[in-house]
Amino acid sequence: MSDAPEPVNDRNAWWRSAVVYQIYIRSFADGNGDGIGDIAGLRARLPYLAELGVDAIWINPWYPSPLHDGGYDVVDFCDIDPVFGTLDEADLLVDEAHGYGIKVLIDIVPNHTSNLHKWFQEALASPPGHPSRDRYHIHDGRGPNASEPPSNWLSVFGGPAWQQMADGQWYLHLFDVSQPDLNWENPEVLREFESILRFWLDRGVDGFRVDVAHGLFKDPSYPDIAEVGDLSVPRQQLGHPFWDRDEVHEIYRRWRSILNAYSDRMMVAEAWVHPDRLPLYIRDDEFHQSFNWDFLAAEWDANEMARVIAESYQRARKVGASPTWVLSNHDVMRHSTRYGLPRGTDWHRWPTEGPHEALDVAAGLRRARAAALITLSLPGSVYLYQGEELGLPEVWDLPESVLEDPTWERSDRKVRGRDGCRVPLPWSLEGPALGFSTAEPWLPQPAAFVGLAASSQAEDAESILTLYRRALALRGEWLTADEEFEMIDLGADTLSYRKGSRMTCVVNMGSADLPLPVGEVILTSAPLKGGELPPDAAAWISLAPSTASSTD
Ligand code: GLC
Ligand code: CA
């Protein structure tokens, strides 16, 4: 892959190889004993994150919100919800994190506001045609008496994407009914977000994760979509009326120039677009990075993973950006469960539809351990989701009565939604919430979490937490900066690549033990058997100097 151009800029920037730990703040750690995670709890756990060895944290939305969509329904983009703390505490957190050498990214939600946002309240209180309505997509309906929605678009969470207002007009909400979409053709919206970015940059945050970055613009003629089907994974075709429209790029060029005026700040896109379109978002005057959904969605299969890894690497390199690797986040089934399901399982539906006995918990955990050694040795950045370092499974069988994700009701209770990956972390064996809180946690923790508590794992040389700590330490010592890599072929069912001139990663995705190539074994995700790598395991091998010199 030596024909790839050199990255054009920011060659040594921190984000190019950062390990970013995602904090779903409601479920990370509770500092004030109300059963909900908060800034105080996060501040108290910074030493844990420093010891783990991450370079940055990304905090999910912490703004004032009725939490109809886990905080992605924002009432005020320049404040903190009292449930999570105060702006002063946010400032302290940023300072303290920096004291540990940890950067702080926050979540910016530009596609929509909460219906309780003052702009939407003003729109509701104003007559049709009033300028306050133009900040959203508010229009007359179609059909007799304009009683039908302006288009047939569906919400990502299920059901129609238009909601009728008391005076008969309709507003667009690509997500929950409590999340009206902003109109990005309106200059006020543009200006407001630029000032929101500056507000946080001035407070010292190191950057942003941008929510639904591919969704801001809508075809102003609101055409019907031929295939309304399942939009839960919005892979657009070109010319889609709301996903991945070319107009979004102008916004990110403007944002990039704002960030460039500060030192060392970055932004990462949540853009669910066709992989071939992803490089457009990470051109050197737009986002610094974008999440890599292809890798997240890849099956536990050597051919598929090798293909996805090579393609992801090339796509990022093509535009001089660094690739990213994500296994889990707050929107998808945790990977230790995903990898335990038979190939081809639709994991959105499996928790409701089963067959539940198909889940192989032990295989999932073995593969999750191996997957950590994959992501942490690839060139580029890694986004870790809180709890993956503990091997937490998806809690797919939460009682229906506690489910909060709007997907559950909006899918007519066919898709349970994302609560199962958002269950509060088990920190220790103490109290009613395994050290997460002194009160009952906002979502119940399953019995399986008891054996996965961080405090016990920290003492256990064989635990997945210990594996993550070792891998992160080794990555920091000798794996980070080098962006060169090439796939190597060690036979069927084996994923293997060489990173720079120093190391090889070998992953056994087959069912027989695998002899390892020559070199010093530095770290494995499972004990070797007679010197061979067992199935569902990975090894990092340091290359002997003679091998190394041939790649220089
Ligand atoms: C993103 C978030 C998700 C949220 C949605 C709407 O996909 O990650 O949690 O529900 O946007 O804001
Ligand atoms: Ca709390």
Side-chain angles (χ1 to χ4, degrees), residues 29-38 83:
D30 175 20
N32 69 348
D34 64 355
I36 303 173
D38 48 37
V83 163

Side-chain angles (χ1 to χ4, degrees), residues 12 73 93 107 128 132 142 149 163 204 207 215 219 226 231 244 319 386 401 450 497 533:
N12 299 310
D73 43 331
L93 167 73
D107 216 311
S132 64
R142 297 189 298 195
Q163 175 71 20
D219 183 332
L231 293 183
D244 191 29
V319 286
Q386 67 179 36
S401 60
V450 175
Y497 48 85
L533 190 64

Side-chain angles (χ1 to χ4, degrees), residues 52-349:
L52 183 58
V54 301
D55 303 298
I57 54 176
W58 145 37
I59 306 168
N60 283 105
W62 53 3
Y63 313 108
S65 166
L67 293 177
H68 289 314
D69 180 24
Y72 284 92
D73 43 331
V74 179
V75 174
D76 180 352
F77 293 97
C78 295
D79 204 351
I80 301 285
D81 195 291
V83 163
F84 301 132
T86 62
L87 268 180
D88 286 343
E89 285 180 275
D91 291 342
L92 287 170
L93 167 73
V94 171
D95 284 352
E96 289 167 7
H98 288 167
Y100 284 102
I102 296 176
K103 310 270 188 189
V104 179
L105 307 180
I106 61 169
D107 216 311
I108 288 290
V109 189
N111 184 64
H112 42 262
T113 68
S114 161
N115 57 338
L116 302 184
H117 189 283
K118 64 173 193 270
W119 275 2
F120 195 69
Q121 290 298 310
E122 195 187 342
L124 282 179
S126 307
H130 189 271
S132 64
R133 290 205 166 188
D134 187 57
R135 296 177 186 133
Y136 294 91
H137 294 272
I138 300 181
H139 295 284
D140 291 332
R142 297 189 298 195
N145 308 320
S147 60
E148 287 159 26
S151 73
N152 68 350
W153 301 358
L154 293 185
S155 149
V156 173
F157 295 154
W162 294 94
Q163 175 71 20
Q164 197 161 25
M165 300 159 71
D167 56 33
Q169 285 206 303
W170 298 74
Y171 69 87
L172 176 69
H173 62 91
L174 291 183
F175 294 89
D176 189 47
V177 65
S178 64
Q179 294 168 296
D181 279 55
L182 285 164
N183 172 17
W184 275 86
E185 307 278 359
N186 182 310
E188 251 187 292
V189 172
L190 191 83
R191 278 200 303 275
E192 178 68 8
F193 273 86
E194 295 185 355
S195 88
I196 293 165
L197 296 183
R198 289 200 179 88
F199 175 87
W200 289 104
L201 290 167
D202 289 339
R203 297 191 99 86
V205 306
D206 300 286
F208 307 104
R209 175 264 189 193
V210 178
D211 191 57
V212 199
H214 57 305
L216 306 196
F217 280 87
K218 281 82 188 178
D219 183 332
S221 68
Y222 307 101
D224 277 346
I225 300 180
E227 231 180 282
V228 285
D230 176 12
L231 293 183
S232 60
V233 181
R235 286 301 171 98
Q236 88 312 316
Q237 314 92 8
L238 281 180
H240 193 278
F242 50 89
W243 297 135
D244 191 29
R245 295 181 65 79
D246 288 334
E247 300 92 307
V248 298
H249 297 288
E250 177 57 23
I251 303 296
Y252 303 129
R253 281 192 280 271
R254 295 174 68 113
W255 288 14
R256 178 63 176 257
S257 69
I258 293 174
L259 266 68
N260 283 349
Y262 295 76
S263 72
D264 254 9
R265 315 295 171 100
M266 67 86 73
M267 54 181 188
V268 52
E270 186 213 23
W272 292 87
V273 301
H274 189 281
D276 293 340
R277 299 265 299 174
L278 206 53
L280 297 175
Y281 288 75
I282 48 177
R283 289 175 283 191
D284 68 350
D285 58 352
E286 296 197 31
F287 283 95
H288 301 77
Q289 291 185 330
S290 172
F291 296 127
N292 178 357
W293 305 127
D294 263 17
F295 179 71
L296 186 150
E299 299 266 2
W300 189 256
D301 174 274
N303 286 331
E304 184 173 344
M305 282 239 177
R307 178 185 56 77
V308 168
I309 288 170
E311 287 176 2
S312 312
Y313 174 80
Q314 278 160 343
R315 277 192 204 101
R317 285 298 294 257
K318 192 168 112 188
V319 286
S322 52
T324 66
W325 313 100
V326 190
L327 291 164
S328 281
N329 64 33
H330 66 294
D331 289 331
V332 298
M333 174 178 279
R334 281 189 178 273
H335 62 273
S336 77
T337 301
R338 250 169 35 220
Y339 288 152
L341 291 171
R343 279 195 66 116
T345 302
D346 176 351
W347 40 266
H348 291 100
R349 293 184 171 266

